[in-house]
Structure formats: C-alpha cells, structure tokens
Amino acid sequence: MSYTIAAITNEWDIFMRRYRSLFTELIKFEDIDHIFFIESPLTLYSFIRFVMGRMNRRDKERWQRVLKKGIISREGNIFIITPVVPFPFLSIRPLLKLNRFCLNRFQLYVIGYLKRKLKVKDMILWINHPYFSAEIAGSVKSDLFCYDLCDDYNTKEKDDSSVFAKEVRNNDLYLTEHADIMFVSSKKLFEDRYPFNPNIYRVPNGVHADLLRGNGEPADEPRDLKQISRPRLVYIGNISTTIDLELLRLIDRIHPEWSVIMVGPVHGTEVKRALRAIDCVHLPGVRSFEESIAYLKCSDVAIIPYVVSPWAISADSLKIYNFIASGKPVVSTGIGGVENFQGIISIGRDREDFVQKVSLALSEKKDDRQKRETAQYSIIKKHTWQERAERIHSLMFERLRGSVK
C-alpha cells in the first residue's frame, strides 16, 4: 500500500530548511506516491509591496513563482501549493478570523481537488506548525496524522497575551493531543510535549553534508566579501531580536579588526538600526542555501550569537549542523542542541568567554585544524537528512501497521 502526504507547512523557499529537506528525501520511498506541500500563505498586502518593488527576496521569489506557474506548481511528485489570504496576520480578531476562514477553505479545497485528480485513496496528514492548522486536522480524513514540531512557537510571540499568541497556544495543544504520531527536533520540546502525547519521538535536524562539504575545492569568493577584511566571523539565518546585540557590540569594542558577516533577512527596523550602528557588522542580505555555502567557506569562524532565551533553549538549530558540516570552527552561545556536539562546537559561557573562544579558533594551528575538520565530518555524516527521513518513514509505517508502542 502506498500513501500521499498532505503537508500543512512553511515556505518551499531558498533556505533548504527542515520540512523541504525531509520531504525531498521522503518522496524517494516507493510507498510515498505524492506530497502536497501547502506553504504558509502570501497576502494581498504583500502583493502590493511586490508590485512596488518593496519586497524581501524570499516572498518576491514566491510571488514570481505564483505568477509564472500558478498557485500549484510541481517538482517531480511534490506539488507546491501557495495559498493567498487578504490581510497580514495582525493580532486583530476579525482579521484573523477572516484570514483563518479563507486559508482553511483554500487548504481543504486544494487537498480535495488534488485527491480527485490523482485518484488518491490513502493519505497521511502532516502538520509542521500550529498557525491556523487545528481546524484542518479535524477536517481532513487521513490514515495517519503526524505533527512535526521544530520550534517552540509558544515562546516566539513578543506579546504572549495577544489574540494571535493565544490562538497559537490553543492550536499547538490541540495538535499535540490529537496527533497519531508526533516528531520533535529537540530534547526540551520532547520533555514539554510528552505528557500530552506518549506517541512522540525526537528526530533532530539534519544536514546535506556532501553538498556543504563539496569536493574540497575552495569556493568562489562572493563579490561583496572581497572588500571585507579578515578575519571574518559569519552567521547565516534569520536576524531578529534573537541575536545578542550586546555580544556584537562587545566584539566590536574589543576586536574592531574582526568582520562579522550576518547573512539573512533582518526582521524589525530597530534591529536593523542597531546592527548598522556596529562598525564591524556587515549585512549582505538574503542568500540562497547554495550561495550561503560560499560565505561559510570564505570566512574563518562560524558563529551562533543567540540570546539564551526559552525559545533558544528549546531549539535544535539547523545552523549547528550546517556550520559543523562546512568544516569551519563553530562558536555558539549555550542554546539548545549544542550540548550534543561538545568537543566539536565551542560554547561561550558568557559574552567574554564567547569572544575568547573565537580568538582561540582564529589562532588554531594547521595540524589542529585538520584534526578538527576530520572529527567534524566524522560526526556530522551520521546526521544526514536521508537518515532522518528513514527514521521518520519507519516510525510512520510502523504506526500505520499498529506496531508502534
């Protein structure tokens, strides 16, 4: 028997995050016929910004795809479906209610349409986040309902008393309690959710190790890096209030000769203003997964300068895996997940210790570097997305056969 996965997930974007990486591997199994990859929605407001040329690269490329290929596009047997809703997701009850209604009706329609078109009989429902997805879980008839959680969304909202934050918490609890099987990426998420669903398994994030490692040849240096002096510290990912700005200010004060390259979208005017005021910080903007590899390879130390918050502690950051696989020395604050790679990642106990760990990494001798690179690759090749997908596939089908305890 073979199945189609209907996934309520996030963007099929340029960053190769968990969901895209997993589904790219899961579709290779003979008993997975199709995957309906239903993205998080675009908004009509964002289309106005797109027309005006004031759009971030990620959503710009999504609108370009929708306008060129339609709201349903296809990559092999993966159907990428892009909903469009009227309003931004503000914490205003009437707007949220209308957006939720439009989004849920669209999701139900497109799942039904593709089921009829492809003559799908057996289905796995997969949900990646608690944003407006509880109603879908109760409306879609499926043989198995999976809830895959890689972020503690309950701790991400700035105002936990807002209408939006309350809806997220309620949805998360509903999905956790009603999932036939649940996957989480971190130890903290497992500990927090296990009392509500004993059919929970920890499946950490993974890595495209061979793609990051490449053929061992040096990468072509990105044009905007050529004018930035070394040593270079690189961070790749979302740039928001999760970044420890005081740590970056300390680096700038103690080591103004260091260059801190922060690749990715900057969220929030205040964050952008603060970063631009730090002389050593450079913001090249959003880059694709493939492009970001060159920034890693052409820098000296990979850093994860997060504030150690409840969200960060509950995370299993994808950066940990990608940075280790790049072969660069990695220095991080004490966020969730780094404890699994002690001896491979240097962990700063506080801001001063973080700076000291970077200094040690920059002064590394050639023999020590070669030993570290060998150890990093030896460890990280056990954490591939292929291995993660095999474990998830095995657990799902054991559950379908009724043999998961």
Side-chain angles (χ1 to χ4, degrees):
M1 183 177 291
S2 57
Y3 293 83
T4 289
I5 297 176
I8 310 298
T9 182
N10 288 297
E11 299 89 352
W12 181 272
D13 57 22
I14 60 178
F15 302 130
M16 289 297 289
R17 290 185 282 189
R18 176 183 176 94
Y19 20 91
R20 179 172 176 176
S21 297
L22 279 175
F23 292 135
T24 301
E25 293 296 330
L26 284 171
I27 197 62
K28 296 175 183 178
F29 289 90
E30 292 184 357
D31 45 19
I32 302 294
D33 291 332
H34 311 94
I35 292 176
F36 304 160
F37 189 103
I38 305 177
E39 298 186 291
S40 54
L42 291 168
T43 68
L44 293 179
Y45 172 73
S46 73
F47 180 70
I48 296 172
R49 292 177 60 85
F50 171 76
V51 171
M52 295 175 63
R54 300 177 62 186
M55 173 67 60
N56 63 68
R57 177 178 173 181
R58 180 178 62 188
D59 285 345
K60 178 181 178 180
E61 292 188 359
R62 293 178 71 204
W63 271 116
Q64 288 172 337
R65 167 161 48 83
V66 167
L67 294 173
K68 182 178 180 180
K69 299 181 179 180
I71 59 173
I72 301 177
S73 58
R74 185 170 182 173
E75 292 198 12
N77 286 326
I78 300 179
F79 293 79
I80 304 159
I81 301 140
T82 310
V84 179
V85 298
F87 303 107
F89 285 88
L90 304 173
S91 195
I92 302 172
R93 192 179 298 278
L95 297 186
L96 285 177
K97 189 174 181 179
L98 179 58
N99 267 357
R100 182 175 63 241
F101 175 83
C102 294
L103 179 60
N104 289 160
R105 291 301 171 270
F106 174 89
Q107 292 168 335
L108 288 171
Y109 171 79
V110 79
I111 291 172
Y113 166 75
L114 288 173
K115 281 182 70 175
R116 292 189 300 272
K117 181 179 180 180
L118 299 170
K119 298 180 180 178
V120 171
K121 293 183 179 180
D122 303 297
M123 177 169 284
I124 296 169
L125 178 64
W126 182 297
I127 292 180
N128 265 119
H129 59 73
Y131 295 139
F132 312 109
S133 47
E135 184 175 331
I136 290 294
S139 303
V140 174
K141 184 179 179 181
S142 63
D143 299 276
L144 186 73
F145 166 34
C146 303
Y147 185 29
D148 177 44
L149 192 63
C150 63
D151 255 327
D152 190 350
Y153 292 90
N154 294 337
T155 63
K156 289 188 78 170
E157 298 304 315
K158 294 180 182 178
D159 180 5
D160 61 6
S161 65
S162 69
V163 174
F164 189 79
K166 290 177 181 177
E167 182 146 356
V168 168
R169 284 198 300 274
N170 291 337
N171 283 349
D172 178 59
L173 180 60
Y174 178 90
L175 296 171
T176 299
E177 291 180 336
H178 288 80
D180 297 314
I181 189 168
M182 185 172 179
F183 305 115
V184 293
S185 60
S186 74
K187 179 181 177 183
K188 183 69 164 57
L189 287 173
F190 180 90
E191 292 170 347
D192 289 348
R193 299 310 192 279
Y194 180 79
F196 302 98
N197 190 334
N199 296 311
I200 184 171
Y201 299 88
R202 185 184 171 205
V203 181
N205 282 318
V207 68
H208 301 278
D210 292 333
L211 184 58
L212 277 158
R213 188 174 173 84
N215 57 12
E217 296 297 321
D220 292 335
E221 187 174 35
R223 184 179 301 176
D224 54 0
L225 268 188
K226 291 180 179 179
Q227 317 220 348
I228 299 176
S229 62
R230 299 185 99 127
R232 297 172 185 156
L233 284 54
V234 64
Y235 165 88
I236 299 171
N238 284 310
I239 303 166
S240 65
T241 54
T242 58
I243 298 296
D244 189 341
L245 295 173
E246 288 304 318
L247 172 56
L248 298 182
R249 292 187 182 105
L250 180 65
I251 290 173
D252 187 53
R253 188 164 63 250
I254 298 178
H255 290 285
E257 74 279 9
W258 293 357
S259 298
V260 180
I261 321 297
M262 304 196 71
V263 182
V266 182
H267 301 281
T269 303
E270 292 183 9
V271 174
K272 184 177 289 187
R273 187 183 298 118
L275 289 169
R276 285 177 172 170
I278 303 173
D279 291 336
C280 71
V281 171
H282 302 265
L283 301 170
V286 176
R287 297 293 184 268
S288 70
F289 177 76
E290 289 78 9
E291 291 168 336
S292 69
I293 294 172
Y295 284 83
L296 270 171
K297 290 190 172 183
C298 295
S299 296
D300 302 296
V301 179
I303 61 171
I304 308 177
Y306 280 162
V307 174
V308 181
S309 64
W311 170 80
I313 292 171
S314 70
D316 179 52
S317 178
L318 193 53
K319 298 167 192 58
I320 295 171
Y321 301 86
N322 288 339
F323 288 178
I324 292 173
S326 74
K328 295 297 177 180
V330 184
V331 181
S332 175
T333 55
I335 63 172
V338 294
E339 72 278 1
N340 300 318
F341 298 99
Q342 293 191 46
I344 297 295
I345 291 179
S346 297
I347 304 171
R349 297 186 304 274
D350 51 40
R351 293 178 181 128
E352 289 74 16
D353 189 51
F354 185 100
V355 175
Q356 180 62 27
K357 293 289 199 309
V358 173
S359 294
L360 291 172
L362 289 171
S363 62
E364 187 178 49
K365 295 181 180 179
K366 183 177 179 180
D367 288 346
D368 293 333
R369 183 182 74 245
Q370 290 174 342
K371 290 177 183 178
R372 174 186 50 74
E373 289 175 351
T374 300
Q376 284 181 214
Y377 191 66
S378 176
I379 291 292
I380 208 62
K381 68 181 182 181
K382 302 173 185 176
H383 297 270
T384 64
W385 284 119
Q386 180 181 357
E387 186 275 334
R388 301 298 193 240
E390 287 173 353
R391 173 162 165 74
I392 283 175
H393 178 271
S394 174
L395 289 167
M396 284 196 306
F397 277 79
E398 285 176 3
R399 182 69 179 171
L400 283 163
R401 290 190 296 267
S403 61
V404 169
K405 304 300 183 184

